[in-house]
Amino acid sequence: MNGGTSRERILGRVRRALADVPPSEHPGDHPVARDYAVQHGERTHSATVGLLAENLEDYRARVHRTDAPGLPALLARLLGERGARRVVVPAGLPGGWLAGAPAELVLDSPVLTDHELDSVDSVVTGCALAIAETGTVVLDAGPDQGSRRITLIPDHHLCVVRTDDQVVGSVPQAIRRLTPARPLTWISGPSATSDIELERVEGVHGPRTLEVILVAGDPREL
Amino acid sequence: MTGTYLGMPSFPRAAEASTRDHRLRANLRRATHTIRAKRDRAVAELDDWAQLRAAGAAVKDRTLRHLDHYLLQLEESVTRAGGTVHWAADAAEANRIVTGLVLATGEREVVKVKSMATQEIGLNGALAAAGIRAYETDLAELIVQLDDDLPSHILVPAIHRNRAEIRDIFLRRMADWGLSAPEGLTDRPADLAEAARLHLREKFLRAKVAVSGANFAVAETGTLVVVESEGNGRMCLTLPETLISVVGIEKVVPTWRDLEIFLQLLPRSSTAERMNPYTSMWTGITDGDGPRAFHLVLLDNGRTDTLADGTGRQALRCIRCSACLNVCPVYERAGGHAYGSPYPGPIGAVLTPQLRGLASPLEESLPYASSLCGACFEACPVAIDIPEVLVHLRERVVEGGAVTVRGTRTVIKPAKRHATERAVMRAAGWAFDHPRVLRSGQRLLARTRGLHPRRLPGPGRAWSDTRDLPEVPPESFRDWWARTRGGPGRGGEPS
Ligand code: SF4
């Protein structure tokens, strides 16, 4: 775009600046010891799920637990309590999840405008995985999660995590499972700011209420 | 429009003014001590912190030693993923590129997510001169922008403003920038945040172009990473049609896997959280999700000059966590504005004189804005030996010597301001209030560097000639800090 001259100038400056690096040194030669922990401490899988719940709650997410058959009733109850009339859902969300929900469903699609999304009350999604040590859910825009904006504009996000196969212990374990080519959103509690006299305020932009549903068993066939 | 750093007075003069501002000092003290105590707890949760810190430093060193290789790899990866890469040798060129990209979309408004790189180059002013309005969308940056002010802390840029002032700023200025503040706005933080949410939502839904920075750029995959709390970053990165990211060339990391180190170091070190509320990662463009055009502007602006200095180079490891600010006794007294750049505190004292060169009394005075107590080095998650670089730069100021300026090797003459250090310390009210602490702090310099000299060798000599370095005390920095500065209200609780 800019003619390549600045590119060459910057690369030239970099190379001159690095005159002290022996020409025989390859990028991988400079040692990086990765002797940090892959996970902090030993835990059973159920303890890992417990830690996830604890850390999510510590950052003010609301956590619920159920098994796969109980999921539709729980979702219907939570949406009802919220008074959600319109709920946006990703195209690949299993149809049975919201079968009993007392709300109009709006399908994630490119023709939906941001303003229309702004009038939706809630969003329901799955996730790519969840990280126990940090209390994080990660979305990767998969079919049961949809485009990034549907979990951003509505004020209420219900996120379903399969405890059998979607909970990892640590950040390194998460990084090893995620695919960087997909757009990724790591969510650890609702948005927050401490910009005013360091007093924590939840919910500036993005959903002010995050509810995470930990589901045992496989709800994909619902 | 936004304030400017141009023509800032030298550190001693600026620090003198802010040291007299008692409210600013009280705010800063509360902020830094609160964050510091929380951070200690967040770090203590990870028993491998030392290994993570060493790995973080080593990854950054590997990157810096082969920066040309990794920049080319990043360019290739981003291009393959559908992005366009631009190279900017200096601030003026970066501003020209971004302005041109915005004008080409036909838009005259952009939304911005907090980016130190765009503050460094004065992008908002350049956009304004081209008739483009840039809206800051971080709550603190919004406060600063509405008030024509400058940020004072990396993490909490409006920490010098209290709630009543913020309410007044909103009531007075929001209407000039868009949706006005609700009538009867109180000064409760939740109400102020709600006012900002409403004011900004309208802008997000309308915006066609966004400008961001990035915390990391992965060479191997072309993935960019933005770490944030409020969600305004997600809005900017997801809703507009065109995304322009201005990223310093030192932000590149070699591999996807390297993020497992930095995503543990940064949140705990910065906001003292296990993980910040939102982290966005994107690789080029994605069909049907997010911007249709992505431009990456790689910024030099003095970074290669910094790279050319074997001792000063380590400052480029910085991941902008602000931990060094929160432990710095001089920052606590002087405030962020005294540093005359977007980079305040210890990191500013080593970065600004290197990025800009020792160009004016401000840059010459910055290496003296420190008691060399070593707390910044201990706090730094990528182990930048800030005291070492400060002493090295002091020698440069006092003795002159070879430096690289805009890519060219030159020799600078010694400065005529040998009294700078005393002036700095007096301005910060530090030497007068705490002569004992100042002396003890200097001991720790020797200790952190593993030396026990009466005079500092090599680089520190010119400076230490007027000093008598005492014996190293047989206690850790933390113990010493607790003993000399400890008192009621400390030890984990905000004072
Ligand atoms: S120098 Fe270190 S402690 Fe200071 S902001 Fe940079 S990374 Fe953080």
Side-chain angles (χ1 to χ4, degrees):
Chain A
M1 280 298 262
N2 49 339
T5 52
S6 288
R7 179 179 185 271
E8 298 320 314
R9 191 179 330 146
I10 293 169
L11 288 168
R13 286 177 180 177
V14 169
R15 287 172 187 141
R16 279 196 302 281
L18 295 171
D20 59 318
V21 177
S24 58
E25 181 181 307
H26 292 289
D29 291 350
H30 186 80
V32 175
R34 293 181 193 267
D35 52 357
Y36 48 85
V38 172
Q39 172 178 288
H40 296 89
E42 291 293 311
R43 287 179 296 263
T44 62
H45 187 67
S46 79
T48 299
V49 175
L51 182 65
L52 171 66
E54 198 181 297
N55 284 337
L56 280 164
E57 279 173 340
D58 194 28
Y59 287 154
R60 320 277 171 92
R62 296 183 195 156
V63 179
H64 311 273
R65 300 182 79 149
T66 184
D67 55 12
L71 180 62
L74 178 59
L75 284 170
R77 177 168 71 76
L78 295 174
L79 289 169
E81 283 171 7
R82 175 85 184 182
R85 288 195 308 271
R86 303 181 75 220
V87 178
V88 64
V89 291
L93 199 80
W97 286 15
L98 292 174
E104 179 199 340
L105 301 187
V106 179
L107 204 62
D108 175 28
S109 106
V111 298
L112 194 65
T113 67
D114 293 341
H115 279 98
E116 283 166 336
L117 260 178
D118 198 28
S119 69
V120 163
D121 300 301
S122 303
V123 56
V124 177
T125 69
C127 70
L129 55 79
I131 309 167
E133 286 181 7
T134 57
T136 304
V137 292
V138 182
L139 307 183
D140 73 355
D144 62 347
Q145 298 150 58
S147 62
R148 284 173 284 175
R149 62 189 185 135
I150 68 166
T151 54
L152 178 60
I153 298 179
D155 205 17
H156 178 220
H157 181 193
L158 287 161
C159 183
V160 175
V161 179
R162 297 193 306 266
T163 55
D164 287 2
D165 63 337
Q166 288 191 316
V167 180
V168 302
S170 69
V171 171
Q173 288 167 336
I175 285 287
R176 286 159 208 197
R177 268 176 61 161
L178 292 166
T179 310
R182 309 186 67 90
L184 301 173
T185 307
W186 298 44
I187 300 172
S188 310
S191 74
T193 181
S194 300
D195 278 345
I196 302 166
E197 295 183 17
L198 291 184
E199 191 166 301
R200 189 175 163 101
V201 177
E202 254 98 44
V204 195
H205 312 290
R208 282 181 283 193
T209 308
L210 171 68
E211 305 202 60
V212 178
I213 301 172
L214 304 177
V215 185
D218 192 350
R220 278 173 292 191
E221 298 307 317
L222 289 174
Chain B
M1 293 293 295
T2 315
T4 171
Y5 294 102
L6 281 181
M8 288 286 283
S10 68
F11 185 85
R13 273 211 294 139
E16 204 160 15
S18 38
T19 304
R20 279 196 308 267
D21 182 340
H22 291 283
R23 196 189 51 231
L24 171 66
R25 273 178 58 183
N27 285 0
L28 274 178
R29 192 182 143 76
R30 179 162 166 269
T32 55
H33 287 240
T34 304
I35 300 172
R36 189 155 89 198
K38 270 182 71 189
R39 179 184 179 276
D40 287 346
R41 289 195 292 272
V43 166
E45 271 188 21
L46 301 188
D47 53 13
D48 61 340
W49 187 258
Q51 287 87 339
L52 282 167
R53 184 174 184 246
V59 166
K60 286 283 184 178
D61 281 349
R62 174 185 283 184
T63 314
L64 292 172
R65 288 173 74 82
H66 298 278
L67 192 57
D68 51 338
H69 168 83
Y70 290 117
L71 287 172
L72 289 171
Q73 195 186 9
L74 176 68
E75 178 186 51
E76 198 189 313
S77 306
V78 169
T79 308
R80 200 187 320 120
T84 307
V85 178
H86 311 257
W87 301 70
D90 55 27
E93 189 175 20
N95 288 332
R96 243 186 349 262
I97 293 170
V98 177
T99 305
L101 289 169
V102 177
L103 291 175
T105 65
E107 294 295 317
R108 292 298 176 270
E109 287 182 352
V110 302
V111 285
K112 280 188 71 201
V113 49
K114 176 181 160 182
S115 139
M116 310 205 59
T118 62
Q119 283 170 24
E120 176 191 320
I121 63 177
L123 178 63
N124 290 7
L127 290 173
I132 300 162
R133 241 181 177 198
Y135 297 111
E136 294 291 350
T137 64
D138 281 68
L139 179 52
E141 298 288 341
L142 174 72
I143 295 165
V144 165
Q145 183 176 44
L146 289 175
D147 199 33
D148 292 329
D149 197 359
L150 289 166
S152 61
H153 188 285
I154 293 179
L155 184 63
V156 273
I159 197 61
H160 56 292
R161 291 279 173 242
N162 64 30
R163 61 182 75 192
E165 291 174 301
I166 294 168
R167 172 178 168 272
D168 289 347
I169 292 167
F170 280 12
L171 286 172
R172 212 173 57 235
R173 294 302 312 276
M174 268 188 173
D176 299 343
W177 285 81
L179 193 66
S180 51
E183 262 181 61
L185 178 66
T186 76
D187 64 3
R188 282 181 53 231
D191 290 347
L192 295 170
E194 169 73 12
R197 177 182 171 101
L198 293 170
H199 179 82
L200 290 170
R201 173 88 26 150
E202 183 238 338
K203 297 204 180 337
F204 289 133
L205 294 180
R206 200 175 64 202
K208 297 276 186 288
V209 183
V211 175
S212 83
N215 295 92
F216 307 101
V218 181
E220 172 189 49
T221 59
T223 307
L224 280 279
V225 182
V226 164
V227 168
E228 54 142 349
S229 295
E230 294 175 13
N232 60 312
R234 290 180 69 194
M235 293 277 178
C236 290
L237 301 170
T238 319
L239 301 187
E241 290 166 8
T242 301
L243 172 61
I244 304 165
S245 301
V246 180
V247 179
I249 53 174
E250 83 285 15
K251 296 284 174 185
V252 61
V253 297
T255 67
W256 169 248
R257 196 182 157 195
D258 295 327
L259 293 179
E260 73 191 23
I261 302 166
F262 296 108
L263 290 180
Q264 296 192 80
L265 290 174
L266 181 55
R268 288 179 196 262
S269 226
S270 175
T271 47
E273 292 167 304
R274 293 184 194 98
M275 190 60 81
N276 48 288
Y278 295 139
T279 297
S280 297
M281 303 178 177
W282 73 99
T283 304
I285 51 173
T286 307
D287 273 346
D289 189 348
R292 287 196 287 251
F294 169 54
H295 297 274
L296 172 61
V297 181
L298 292 172
L299 177 70
D300 178 353
N301 205 38
R303 285 159 178 77
T304 51
D305 295 343
T306 310
L307 190 68
D309 184 322
T311 306
R313 179 183 295 165
Q314 57 184 311
L316 295 175
R317 285 187 208 143
C318 175
I319 56 173
R320 314 277 188 264
C321 72
S322 75
C324 57
L325 278 62
N326 299 327
V327 296
C328 179
V330 176
Y331 172 80
E332 182 186 318
R333 308 204 126 230
H337 292 153
Y339 293 81
S341 92
Y343 307 108
I347 184 59
V350 293
L351 205 52
T352 304
Q354 296 201 88
L355 291 178
R356 295 190 193 154
L358 297 169
S360 79
L362 170 70
E363 287 80 23
E364 285 178 350
S365 65
L366 280 174
Y368 294 93
S370 167
S371 67
L372 299 180
C373 74
C376 49
F377 170 58
E378 281 206 18
C380 179
V382 285
I384 300 170
D385 192 340
I386 294 173
E388 181 189 27
V389 181
L390 286 168
V391 170
H392 172 71
L393 293 173
R394 286 179 188 188
E395 188 198 46
R396 179 67 38 71
V397 172
V398 172
E399 297 190 340
V403 292
T404 305
V405 180
R406 299 290 171 243
T408 307
R409 261 337 241 177
T410 40
V411 174
I412 56 164
K413 289 211 265 309
K416 292 193 187 69
R417 294 175 195 81
H418 194 29
T420 315
E421 179 207 8
R422 259 195 318 260
V424 170
M425 296 328 256
R426 190 161 52 235
W430 182 250
F432 281 162
D433 291 7
H434 302 86
R436 194 172 48 84
V437 174
L438 180 60
R439 271 201 310 277
S440 318
Q442 284 151 10
R443 279 180 206 154
L444 269 299
L445 167 68
R447 178 127 195 266
T448 51
R449 303 184 64 213
L451 301 166
H452 299 252
R454 303 292 302 176
R455 291 169 58 192
L456 291 174
R461 180 140 32 86
W463 170 78
S464 60
D465 270 354
T466 58
R467 297 268 174 195
D468 192 20
L469 290 182
E471 297 280 302
V472 175
E475 61 182 336
S476 75
F477 177 79
R478 243 177 256 291
D479 296 345
W480 165 81
W481 183 264
R483 186 171 56 76
T484 54
R485 299 272 290 156
R490 292 188 37 80
E493 285 306 304
S495 50

